[in-house]
Amino acid sequence: MRHIISVLVENEAGVLSRVAGLFSARGFNVESLTVAPVGTGETSRITLVTAGDGPIIEQILKQLNKLVPVIQVTDLSDSPHVGRELLLVKVLTEAGHPERGGRQEVLNIVQIFQARVVDATPGSLIIEVTGSADKLDACLALLEPYGVADMVRTGQVALARGSRK
Amino acid sequence: MRHIISVLVENEAGVLSRVAGLFSARGFNVESLTVAPVGTGETSRITLVTAGDGPIIEQILKQLNKLVPVIQVTDLSDSPHVGRELLLVKVLTEAGHPERGGRQEVLNIVQIFQARVVDATPGSLIIEVTGSADKLDACLALLEPYGVADMVRTGQVALARGSRK
């Protein structure tokens, strides 16, 4: 089962390296990871997605809690949460020949996924899509036949639903 | 100056730890970092934002290129690019008293920033915003007075503009 783990850390040099090192040293798999400052930048939040059974996840959480610059560790998968990810994908379209199709179909997919075109040239579109990992996978699968030239995704971030902190 | 560096790596255990370790060992600062699989998952793309003068950045790029699981290193700041980031922010609103204000003003800010409400309870809203780091900072600053209970951001990802790969 996939777990989304949120780790609040002191924003000091080497903390990411220690968290990543903890995973690789124990052979725990990290599917995706993001780290960025929170608020005024004294702390950062690491969000990582990992797969594993209960006992493995429990061990991961314990080890993370023991690291000194770690303030708080939360397994968001334990309770209702909103998980979102951002995808940028560049699709090549036929320059100068809009009537040959492709571009309009791509724009239809953009609309279906409530995505946004963030760059356009006669021969290419860069599309921004946000949502669950599954939604981004579905969108990518639909765009693939039109020629995906490049892509990057952020990995998931998440917050607990409702008014809990 | 801020640099957005894109690193395509083999998706093998320990690669994130080695990249992060390279930065911490040399005292290079990482402002934000994301890593997620590309395509079918044999490779991953790490996007990191770091600050530094020309010679420091050049040294960083050289060191990254020397790491074995690294396939390609690109400094996207050298040329036109689209950089985007995702922010989830939870704002507390007064439950049961919509007429006392707060909630409507927050929804106005959502509209101004072309943001989306992704969770709503009588006492809280979770808002998803995408854009440049500056845009997200501006949105956060406007929401702050209404009571930000929690937030998480992904850090930037970026693609080169136009049809280049």
Side-chain angles (χ1 to χ4, degrees):
Chain A
M1 191 194 150
R2 270 187 191 165
H3 288 257
I4 306 180
I5 299 173
S6 174
V7 190
L8 190 66
V9 297
E10 304 279 357
N11 194 359
E12 59 184 49
V15 53
L16 175 63
S17 157
R18 291 174 71 184
V19 169
L22 185 153
F23 277 77
S24 67
R26 282 155 191 82
F28 298 151
N29 177 49
V30 177
E31 208 163 288
S32 72
L33 180 147
T34 76
V35 54
V38 175
T40 52
E42 277 134 54
T43 54
S44 286
R45 190 182 295 278
I46 299 174
T47 312
L48 54 89
V49 178
T50 187
D53 295 334
I56 290 181
I57 297 296
E58 215 169 292
Q59 205 189 338
I60 290 178
L61 296 179
K62 261 189 202 158
Q63 303 269 6
L64 282 173
N65 262 313
K66 272 190 205 158
L67 285 183
V68 171
V70 168
I71 300 165
Q72 196 186 26
V73 182
T74 317
D75 184 352
L76 286 162
S77 328
D78 284 347
S79 51
H81 62 275
V82 181
R84 312 285 283 184
E85 183 173 1
L86 184 148
L87 161 73
L88 288 178
V89 53
K90 186 187 290 184
V91 182
L92 298 184
T93 55
E94 212 174 338
H97 300 282
E99 78 288 359
R100 290 204 197 146
R103 200 168 176 97
Q104 187 55 52
E105 284 88 335
V106 170
L107 291 173
N108 293 347
I109 295 171
V110 166
Q111 210 172 3
I112 290 164
F113 284 90
Q114 297 188 282
R116 290 165 178 160
V117 174
V118 290
D119 184 56
T121 68
S124 67
L125 295 169
I126 296 179
I127 297 159
E128 170 197 302
V129 202
T130 63
S132 65
D134 284 350
K135 177 182 162 186
L136 302 196
D137 287 344
C139 184
L140 268 176
L142 271 184
L143 289 173
E144 201 64 59
Y146 298 99
V148 168
D150 211 352
M151 59 154 285
V152 61
R153 51 203 290 178
T154 58
Q156 274 201 83
V157 289
L159 290 180
R161 280 195 190 272
S163 51
R164 283 165 305 141
K165 253 207 100 153
Chain B
M1 190 194 148
R2 267 187 195 166
H3 287 256
I4 306 179
I5 298 173
S6 174
V7 190
L8 191 66
V9 297
E10 304 281 356
N11 195 359
E12 59 184 50
V15 53
L16 176 63
S17 157
R18 291 174 72 183
V19 169
L22 184 154
F23 276 77
S24 67
R26 283 157 190 81
F28 298 150
N29 178 48
V30 177
E31 209 163 288
S32 71
L33 180 145
T34 75
V35 56
V38 176
T40 52
E42 276 134 53
T43 56
S44 286
R45 189 182 296 277
I46 299 175
T47 311
L48 55 89
V49 177
T50 186
D53 296 333
I56 290 178
I57 298 297
E58 217 168 290
Q59 205 188 335
I60 290 177
L61 298 179
K62 261 188 204 159
Q63 303 268 6
L64 283 172
N65 261 313
K66 272 189 205 157
L67 287 182
V68 171
V70 167
I71 300 164
Q72 194 187 28
V73 183
T74 316
D75 184 353
L76 285 161
S77 327
D78 285 345
S79 51
H81 62 274
V82 181
R84 314 285 283 185
E85 184 173 358
L86 184 148
L87 162 72
L88 289 178
V89 53
K90 186 186 291 184
V91 182
L92 298 184
T93 54
E94 212 174 338
H97 299 283
E99 77 289 359
R100 291 202 196 149
R103 200 165 174 100
Q104 187 54 51
E105 284 88 334
V106 170
L107 291 173
N108 293 346
I109 295 170
V110 167
Q111 209 171 5
I112 290 165
F113 284 90
Q114 298 187 280
R116 289 165 179 161
V117 174
V118 291
D119 184 57
T121 69
S124 68
L125 295 169
I126 297 179
I127 298 158
E128 170 198 299
V129 203
T130 62
S132 65
D134 284 350
K135 177 183 163 185
L136 302 195
D137 288 344
C139 183
L140 268 175
L142 271 182
L143 290 172
E144 201 63 59
Y146 299 98
V148 168
D150 211 352
M151 59 155 282
V152 61
R153 50 203 292 176
T154 57
Q156 275 198 80
V157 290
L159 289 181
R161 279 194 191 273
S163 49
R164 283 167 305 140
K165 252 208 102 152

